Amino acid sequence: SRLSPIAVKLMTFYPQPNVLAQNQFNAQNNFSVNGKTPSANDRIDVRVDHNVSDKFKMWGRNSGFQYQSTPFNGFGNVASSAGGNGFGFGANYNTALNAVYTISPTTIFNVSYGFARKVAKQDPISQGFDQRTIGMPEAVQQAAAEQNLEFPRFNVGGNNGIAALGQGNWTTLRIQASGHDSHADLTKVLAKHTLKTGVNFRKLFMNFRQHGEPSGTYNFGNIWTQRLAGAANSTTQGSGMASFLLGYVESGTLQHTFPIATESSYWGFYVNDDWKVSRKLTLNMGLRYDIDLPRTERYNRLSYFDITAPSPIAGKVPGYPNLFGQMKFVDGNNRRQTPTDLNNWGPRFGFAYSINDKTVFRGAYGILYSPSVLQASGTSGSSGTQGFQQSSSVDRSFDGDVSPFATLANPFPNGFNRPLGAAGGPGTLLGLGIGDSFFNDYVNPIVQEWSATLQRDMGAGFVVELGYLANKGNHLIDGESSMTYNQLPASFFSLGNQLLGQNQVRNPFFGVEGINPVSALARPTVAFSQLLRPYPQYTSVNAFRKPQGNSIYHAFTLGVTKRYSHGLNLQASLTAGKLIDDVSQTVTFLGNAGTKQDFYCRACERSISAQDIARRLVISANYELPFGKGRRFMTSAAKPVDFILGGWQVNGILTLQGGLPMQISNGNNNSQLGSPGQRPNNNGSSGKRTGPIEDRLRSYFDQSVFSQAGNFTFGNTSRTSPNLRTPGTNNTDMSLFKRFKFRELLQTEFRAEAFNFANHPIWNSPGTTVTDPGNFGIILQKGGQRRVMQMALKVQF
């Protein structure tokens, strides 16, 4: 095959960076935002207190902070992938007002108001770039111009991959967010009761614009250059660079987004009673009620997918008389995507019982509700704006990767999937995928918490506290991977090769009015597996970042406190617990996120949480050395001696912590069922190895325990491996300091500090992908902070 002219031009366009280009770029591009030089910071704070009378006091505060930033600019090359987040400007403003009125000596009324506003602007270093100068077609340039012109992204991965070309995604950003928060609280003190009641109101606004891939992202792997066409993606054959040079795109996206303007309201009501039943027993009882009203959008540009409604093409497709699912849109009469959750009652109960003068037993239970996922939010990624924002995807092949369809010279031969908004009607996205507009659950996340502690004064300044604490979460935000309602059940594994994309059959959806013309369902043939799906008129039906997760946590705590005496202050805390969940992240970019394997088996996702830390011990101490005037030794030392040797103080913090559970990855998803992921197999052994890490760097755990799951199977490895943990933490920080007093108004403080004082090695985690033999189970390098020592001298006058 001939090389792609565009790829060759790109390689020529992307020269080796040099310092001269860097300096020329700085000189020719004097960037500024709002007339100010980047990297400037301005802050203003004003506060006013006023006593209106002996009974009425009030205060107000206003703060403002502005910042500007400029990234590393890629040495003047707009094709550089090192441009960071682009040139930015931001500002934060907040106002707080508070008034307290003493109605009587036992009754107090308090009103407060707060306002906060955030403004952010960010542009890529390639802002305004004309794609036609690198050979991209006119149609792509026009589609990009409708969003934001910037250098497109080219990711050349797979075998023999190279660094990416072009600005990172999600760079263009505009945020104008504000919130109002007001409280009214009344407190009444009686002989044995302290009663409190109040109301809280919040109003949130979000004006948001962020372009993810406005000028297109194109990914190149080794599928088109491996030995066998249509085979599973090989880790040893083919070349991502070769695919790039040939112009054979493996995947790609050009997004069509819009600026959104949402608002939402929240009400909270509470009543609480602190009741001193007796000298030994105090009870705390309360009830809170929360109402989160689902958001609205200024121009009603919100949608929601009804999975139970008849499809607009039901009865029009041969063999499919009972198709379900249709997109719906809000309007002036119904501006919200879901009903309001009205069941957020949160009882609270606590007690403290003094067994004797030195022993106290405490306990508590409460139900709390997290903010709704339907609060004002500008992100089009999960706010339910399908139909108003769309993505045009590169269709690399329609015959199971036997022959390419899209190329770099014409990445979207079927045209673009431009959004139609509410005009698209119930048939919006027919033939494509359903995602963020599917609210399979909308209630507020619920957390139940309970605890019990026993505290004992042991004498000599020591206090010991034993505790048990737990919490249970339901309807937690699930952002690890999608819930795939269009997945085939595991019983279909028996079909074997019939599930592969190469198995094309006559398409009953071909020619049906309403099917999106850029869809695979708009072609004469279609993959046989697509016709088996629960919702065959859609390529995917996913729910993402919706409240469907569950967790349970139990922990034992031990705390020892040595109150300050004889120059020593000591605090030791031990926590031993276990966190179990079926989802460990709200968003995947936080790290430690897993991938679901089987939509039809939620219980199969239940495992030790990816966030679980089984043991943690922290000991901190502050000790004044007993030398010098007023100390145990050298009390009568001469002033010069006391000036040098007296008054020193040493501090230390020791942290011992276990590692996080590992998540063993299969590398590829070969299940062929359309599931989010596929986990590897375990031979029934634990794989755990003990001994110094230095002795098992090449085999941190037994790699032979795991093997890649093949086609048409699910692996038997759990979501996390509780007996396989990443290297833990063993860290000691120390400091030594002394104040030198020359005169009453002149003092000097000397401080010497050492972080990771023992220089204990901190190891990176081993590789966890079965199909990556060069990294799997292997620790390649150290991470974290080596020992750092610093000294400082501060003069006060």
Side-chain angles (χ1 to χ4, degrees):
S1 299
R2 291 187 303 173
L3 297 183
S4 165
I6 297 177
V8 174
K9 191 168 186 176
L10 276 169
M11 295 301 293
T12 306
F13 185 87
Y14 192 68
Q16 182 68 25
N18 57 75
V19 177
L20 177 61
Q22 166 80 47
N23 295 333
Q24 290 176 341
F25 188 67
N26 290 338
Q28 296 173 5
N29 298 275
N30 183 21
F31 287 93
S32 64
V33 184
N34 291 354
K36 295 185 178 181
T37 304
S39 300
N41 294 316
D42 299 300
R43 184 182 184 93
I44 298 176
D45 294 288
V46 177
R47 176 179 172 122
V48 176
D49 292 81
H50 181 54
N51 295 332
V52 181
S53 67
D54 292 340
K55 291 186 174 183
F56 187 25
K57 300 179 181 181
M58 59 189 304
W59 60 264
R61 187 197 69 242
N62 186 76
S63 298
F65 175 70
Q66 295 185 359
Y67 66 89
Q68 299 172 55
S69 62
T70 181
F72 169 69
N73 61 31
F75 301 100
N77 192 336
V78 294
S80 171
S81 60
N85 291 325
F87 302 94
F89 165 81
N92 296 304
Y93 310 99
N94 64 79
T95 299
L97 302 172
N98 188 75
V100 179
Y101 183 71
T102 305
I103 300 174
S104 71
T106 61
T107 308
I108 299 175
F109 182 61
N110 178 227
V111 177
S112 62
Y113 167 77
F115 171 76
R117 179 172 174 82
K118 175 184 176 66
V119 178
K121 175 184 178 182
Q122 184 175 281
D123 290 313
I125 61 174
S126 60
Q127 180 74 20
F129 182 78
D130 188 339
Q131 297 193 48
R132 293 170 297 189
T133 61
I134 57 174
M136 296 298 288
E138 176 69 28
V140 174
Q141 168 71 10
Q142 292 291 337
E146 296 170 8
Q147 307 301 309
N148 192 64
L149 287 173
E150 58 189 65
F151 199 95
R153 179 82 168 184
F154 300 91
N155 297 314
V156 184
N159 304 320
N160 306 116
I162 64 170
L165 306 181
Q167 181 74 34
N169 300 328
W170 308 100
T171 301
T172 303
L173 177 68
R174 300 290 187 274
I175 296 177
Q176 291 179 325
S178 59
H180 303 265
D181 189 303
S182 56
H183 290 256
D185 306 282
L186 180 67
T187 302
K188 178 67 175 179
V189 180
L190 303 174
K192 291 189 175 183
H193 296 267
T194 299
L195 302 174
K196 296 181 181 179
T197 187
V199 59
N200 175 208
F201 173 72
R202 297 177 197 149
K203 190 72 172 181
L204 305 178
F205 296 90
M206 173 66 83
N207 295 284
F208 186 91
R209 169 190 167 203
Q210 185 175 30
H211 296 302
E213 299 160 293
S215 291
T217 294
Y218 307 97
N219 305 307
F220 300 85
N222 51 299
I223 284 181
W224 295 120
T225 50
Q226 61 187 7
R227 182 175 181 180
L228 184 61
N233 199 353
S234 173
T235 59
T236 59
Q237 300 175 9
S239 166
M241 173 59 79
S243 299
F244 170 65
L245 292 174
L246 293 171
Y248 291 156
V249 184
E250 188 164 302
S251 64
T253 304
L254 192 149
Q255 291 188 349
H256 313 274
T257 57
F258 72 99
I260 193 171
T262 57
E263 64 86 19
S264 66
S265 301
Y266 162 84
W267 290 91
F269 307 88
Y270 77 92
V271 60
N272 188 82
D273 180 16
D274 292 327
W275 179 19
K276 191 170 184 178
V277 181
S278 66
R279 186 179 63 85
K280 289 190 171 186
L281 178 63
T282 299
L283 300 180
N284 177 277
M285 298 170 289
L287 179 66
R288 186 176 183 92
Y289 181 59
D290 299 305
I291 301 177
D292 265 305
L293 296 177
R295 60 177 164 246
T296 60
E297 206 274 334
R298 182 180 301 164
Y299 303 106
N300 295 324
R301 293 173 296 186
L302 297 174
S303 59
Y304 56 99
F305 183 70
D306 188 343
I307 201 170
T308 62
S311 172
I313 59 172
K316 300 179 181 179
V317 183
Y320 295 92
N322 298 313
L323 296 174
F324 287 91
Q326 65 171 260
M327 189 68 72
K328 295 184 177 181
F329 298 87
V330 304
D331 55 35
N333 298 318
N334 179 24
R335 302 192 65 204
R336 296 185 168 91
Q337 297 158 303
T338 71
T340 302
D341 182 11
L342 298 175
N343 195 36
N344 297 334
W345 295 94
R348 317 287 168 83
F349 174 76
F351 70 89
Y353 180 69
S354 179
I355 299 174
N356 55 46
D357 291 342
K358 293 188 176 183
T359 310
V360 178
F361 182 54
R362 297 181 177 89
Y365 172 80
I367 298 179
L368 303 91
Y369 296 88
S370 294
S372 169
V373 296
L374 290 154
Q375 285 189 347
S377 169
T379 116
S380 58
S382 59
S383 61
T385 56
Q386 289 186 295
F388 299 97
Q389 56 88 25
Q390 296 286 8
S391 295
S392 296
S393 298
V394 172
D395 293 315
R396 71 184 185 216
S397 175
F398 288 105
D399 57 7
D401 298 332
V402 174
S403 56
F405 178 70
T407 64
L408 188 58
N410 187 15
F412 305 99
N414 283 338
F416 298 94
N417 182 33
R418 288 183 169 87
L420 299 176
T428 296
L429 295 183
L430 274 172
L432 301 173
I434 300 296
D436 65 83
S437 291
F438 181 23
F439 296 91
N440 63 328
D441 199 342
Y442 62 85
V443 303
N444 286 55
I446 305 170
V447 177
Q448 299 180 66
E449 294 186 349
W450 60 97
S451 63
T453 60
L454 182 65
Q455 190 177 64
R456 173 73 177 180
D457 187 341
M458 307 299 292
F462 282 91
V463 176
V464 177
E465 182 176 283
L466 298 175
Y468 161 75
L469 56 91
N471 64 64
K472 183 178 186 293
N474 298 104
H475 300 283
L476 305 177
I477 308 304
D478 184 349
E480 284 196 340
S481 61
S482 298
M483 294 295 292
T484 51
Y485 282 75
N486 227 16
Q487 178 197 312
L488 296 176
S491 59
F492 280 45
F493 279 147
S494 59
L495 294 177
N497 289 334
Q498 296 182 67
L499 299 176
L500 297 177
Q502 299 95 306
N503 185 23
Q504 298 281 306
V505 297
R506 180 179 171 275
N507 180 13
F509 293 94
F510 178 63
V512 174
E513 184 179 357
I515 296 295
N516 195 295
V518 304
S519 166
L521 294 179
R523 299 181 61 82
T525 62
V526 68
F528 172 63
S529 59
Q530 175 64 37
L531 303 181
L532 302 176
R533 303 198 182 281
Y535 305 92
Q537 72 274 32
Y538 298 103
T539 54
S540 62
V541 179
N542 298 331
F544 183 57
R545 291 186 192 168
K546 303 303 189 296
Q548 55 198 13
N550 306 279
S551 71
I552 183 73
Y553 176 70
H554 298 278
F556 161 79
T557 61
L558 171 63
V560 178
T561 302
K562 167 68 169 66
R563 298 191 186 98
Y564 178 80
S565 65
H566 305 291
L568 176 64
N569 184 18
L570 175 71
Q571 175 73 49
S573 300
L574 170 67
T575 302
K578 179 183 289 188
L579 174 61
I580 299 174
D581 60 28
D582 55 19
V583 57
S584 301
Q585 292 286 349
T586 301
V587 289
T588 54
F589 57 74
L590 294 178
N592 295 327
T595 300
K596 299 176 184 65
Q597 180 170 246
D598 186 2
F599 164 74
Y600 299 105
C601 186
R602 183 81 189 190
C604 297
E605 303 303 313
R606 191 174 189 268
S607 68
I608 295 293
S609 173
Q611 308 291 341
D612 178 67
I613 296 176
R615 305 287 186 273
R616 178 178 171 85
L617 173 65
V618 179
I619 302 175
S620 60
N622 180 296
Y623 183 54
E624 296 178 352
L625 299 180
F627 305 105
K629 186 176 181 180
R631 309 293 172 88
R632 182 177 179 183
F633 303 106
M634 301 174 57
T635 301
S636 302
K639 283 188 176 182
V641 176
D642 180 67
F643 181 81
I644 297 174
L645 300 180
W648 288 92
Q649 183 173 312
V650 61
N651 307 287
I653 301 175
L654 169 66
T655 303
L656 301 175
Q657 177 178 295
L660 296 170
M662 294 186 188
Q663 301 176 76
I664 307 301
S665 169
N666 197 53
N668 296 314
N669 183 359
N670 301 314
S671 70
Q672 310 299 335
L673 295 183
S675 64
Q678 183 187 34
R679 295 197 278 269
N681 285 318
N682 180 291
N683 65 9
S685 303
S686 73
K688 182 179 180 179
R689 284 183 169 161
T690 58
I693 295 179
E694 291 82 354
D695 296 339
R696 48 193 176 100
L697 295 178
R698 302 297 301 176
S699 184
Y700 183 76
F701 55 84
D702 187 353
Q703 298 100 318
S704 65
V705 166
F706 301 97
S707 60
Q708 185 182 25
N711 287 338
F712 321 120
T713 64
F714 281 140
N716 62 7
T717 300
S718 62
R719 187 170 61 94
T720 62
S721 298
N723 56 343
L724 299 183
R725 302 266 177 165
T726 60
T729 300
N730 184 339
N731 183 75
T732 303
D733 297 330
M734 300 289 294
S735 66
L736 177 69
F737 66 91
K738 172 183 168 56
R739 286 181 178 272
F740 298 89
K741 187 174 181 179
F742 294 94
R743 296 193 303 270
E744 187 67 27
L745 299 179
L746 178 61
Q747 298 184 50
T748 299
E749 180 183 276
F750 170 78
R751 180 183 292 269
E753 298 172 319
F755 303 95
N756 192 5
F757 176 75
N759 203 26
H760 193 280
I762 302 173
W763 297 99
N764 285 341
S765 300
T768 56
T769 303
V770 172
T771 55
D772 186 6
N775 293 285
F776 184 55
I778 300 172
I779 297 179
L780 298 177
Q781 60 184 349
K782 294 180 181 179
Q785 179 177 268
R786 313 300 194 271
R787 178 169 53 210
V788 175
M789 303 181 70
Q790 63 185 28
M791 292 182 291
L793 192 66
K794 180 170 67 175
V795 178
Q796 295 176 317
F797 59 91

